[in-house]
Amino acid sequence: MATATGTAPVPAADGGERTDGGARADAPRGRWRRHLPPYLAISPYYVLFAVFGAFPVVFSFYLSFQDWDGIGAMRYVGLQQYAWLMRDAVFWHSILNTFEIWFMSTVPMLFLALAIAFLLNSQVRYASALRVAYFVPNVTSMVAMTIVFGSVFAQAGLANSVLRAVGVDGVGWLTSSFGIKSALSLMIIWRWVGYNALIFLAGLQALPTELFEAARMDGANSRQTLFRVVVPQLRPVILFAVITSTINGLQIFTESQVLFYSDDPGTTGGPGQQGMTIVLYLWQKAFNDHQFGYGAAIGWSLFALIAVFTIINWRLVSGSGREDRPRISWRKGARHGR
């Protein structure tokens, strides 16, 4: 039997040739050919994200350290834009307005959404139609609906007509501080309550039915079941709703901009600028006054506020209770546990 003096190349399973040690000479090229089609398939998303997502974020951060009117040359000013913000009375006024509107809208909206979800999870007729009806405001054009709400909240509009019909004086919805914030809050509640109700409903439907059956057997009524069974079990869903509502609530813009649109910068946000929000002030400084660097600084200050309040909400909601709490009896005076 003849003995070979060298090792001949051995064909690989994919057609390539193995050389010394069994390694394929064209392995890197073969792997590249295998992985190229999937990368090409997902590349449009990353290209669009890089152009319209990542680049504007990075550029706005760079722009916050520049003085630029959008046309001429940029002038580096360092932290001067942020120093101006700290002394800007209108900026602090917009922060106060934003937090007041956020509190007046988000807190009742989340409670109302949870109650609606609890009712929809019960045996009610036309549940599917009701779910669609509650979600419609979220997909409706907010510009169009703000125009409609502007007519409703006008001095001689539907809201004041109903109040006068029951013997209550009309409210200056678009002229007084309380009226402006209330009108904006009601529009936000109308827009987002159905969306959050469906989020809560999805969480409710994921809960074991044994929890509700045990509550009924223990004699719990609907209110006790909601607050002692549903709310503790829905804490992760509530955390998601609170965080998303905080992010959306601190970025209020469309409602105030359309309802109180004015070419006069002094009346932006309505009388006394009571409807001036942080994003509306950003828009005014950047696109009305052409102070793009200052507008970018306002945007990054808003980002910092959202991050801080997101962390606060996370700590408050996620750490609001212990998982190993003893069973609470529904009957007054009954012993805890068994």
Side-chain angles (χ1 to χ4, degrees):
M1 182 173 60
T3 303
T5 58
T7 303
V10 180
D14 59 355
E17 291 185 350
R18 295 179 182 272
T19 57
D20 298 338
R24 294 198 308 271
D26 60 342
R29 186 173 58 184
R31 284 197 298 269
W32 175 254
R33 284 201 300 265
R34 286 198 307 272
H35 297 312
L36 181 60
Y39 284 132
L40 289 177
I42 64 175
S43 61
Y45 167 79
Y46 289 100
V47 171
L48 292 174
F49 173 77
V51 174
F52 298 103
F55 173 74
V57 171
V58 175
F59 182 71
S60 67
F61 183 71
Y62 169 78
L63 192 59
S64 67
F65 301 101
Q66 310 289 328
D67 182 16
W68 188 46
D69 61 359
I71 299 177
M74 296 184 184
R75 184 172 63 89
Y76 178 76
V77 294
L79 296 175
Q80 190 173 349
Q81 307 278 23
Y82 296 95
W84 288 338
L85 274 181
M86 297 300 101
R87 302 189 299 267
D88 191 343
V90 180
F91 173 69
W92 291 106
H93 180 63
S94 69
I95 290 179
L96 179 61
N97 289 339
T98 302
F99 279 113
E100 289 179 353
I101 296 169
W102 169 77
F103 182 81
M104 293 172 63
S105 61
T106 301
V107 175
M109 181 262 294
L110 291 178
F111 278 106
L112 183 59
L114 184 60
I116 292 173
F118 186 68
L119 294 176
L120 289 177
N121 195 49
S122 306
Q123 299 298 326
V124 295
R125 299 180 62 183
Y126 311 113
S128 298
L130 289 174
R131 295 172 191 173
V132 174
Y134 280 121
F135 190 71
V136 165
N138 190 253
V139 297
T140 304
S141 170
M142 202 58 221
V143 173
M145 292 314 302
T146 301
I147 296 174
V148 173
F149 273 102
S151 301
V152 171
F153 291 123
Q155 195 62 32
L158 179 62
N160 280 338
S161 298
V162 172
L163 291 177
R164 294 190 184 98
V166 296
V168 180
D169 293 336
V171 176
W173 298 102
L174 306 180
T175 55
S176 65
S177 175
F178 174 77
I180 289 172
K181 294 179 174 63
S182 299
L184 293 173
S185 300
L186 289 173
M187 285 190 284
I188 295 168
I189 292 172
W190 178 87
R191 181 182 183 184
W192 291 105
V193 67
Y195 170 84
N196 286 285
L198 294 183
I199 296 295
F200 289 142
L201 179 61
L204 282 172
Q205 293 177 341
L207 296 180
T209 57
E210 292 82 0
L211 292 174
F212 300 96
E213 294 173 358
R216 284 194 297 268
M217 291 178 63
D218 282 349
N221 56 32
S222 298
R223 181 182 61 83
Q224 291 171 326
T225 302
L226 175 62
F227 289 103
R228 297 191 180 185
V229 175
V230 172
V231 172
Q233 295 295 324
L234 280 184
R235 195 181 309 129
V237 181
I238 294 174
L239 175 63
F240 171 81
V242 168
I243 290 177
T244 55
S245 298
T246 300
I247 294 172
N248 292 326
L250 294 181
Q251 297 183 85
I252 304 167
F253 170 72
T254 305
E255 296 87 346
S256 186
Q257 163 69 357
V258 176
L259 200 60
F260 303 108
Y261 177 78
S262 174
D263 292 329
D264 182 8
T267 59
T268 302
Q273 295 186 324
Q274 295 301 315
M276 173 72 78
T277 63
I278 302 175
V279 179
L280 182 58
Y281 188 51
L282 185 159
W283 176 86
Q284 176 187 322
K285 302 306 291 185
F287 299 102
N288 267 9
D289 300 341
H290 304 291
Q291 299 177 17
F292 289 96
Y294 197 60
I298 296 173
W300 279 97
S301 300
L302 174 60
F303 170 78
L305 285 174
I306 291 175
V308 168
F309 272 81
T310 298
I311 294 172
I312 293 174
N313 287 328
W314 181 284
R315 296 298 299 271
L316 289 177
V317 178
S318 64
S320 59
R322 294 177 54 189
E323 295 292 340
D324 56 346
R325 290 177 299 179
R327 185 181 68 86
I328 300 176
S329 176
W330 314 109
R331 301 180 183 87
K332 184 177 181 181
R335 292 185 307 165
H336 293 277
R338 292 185 178 178

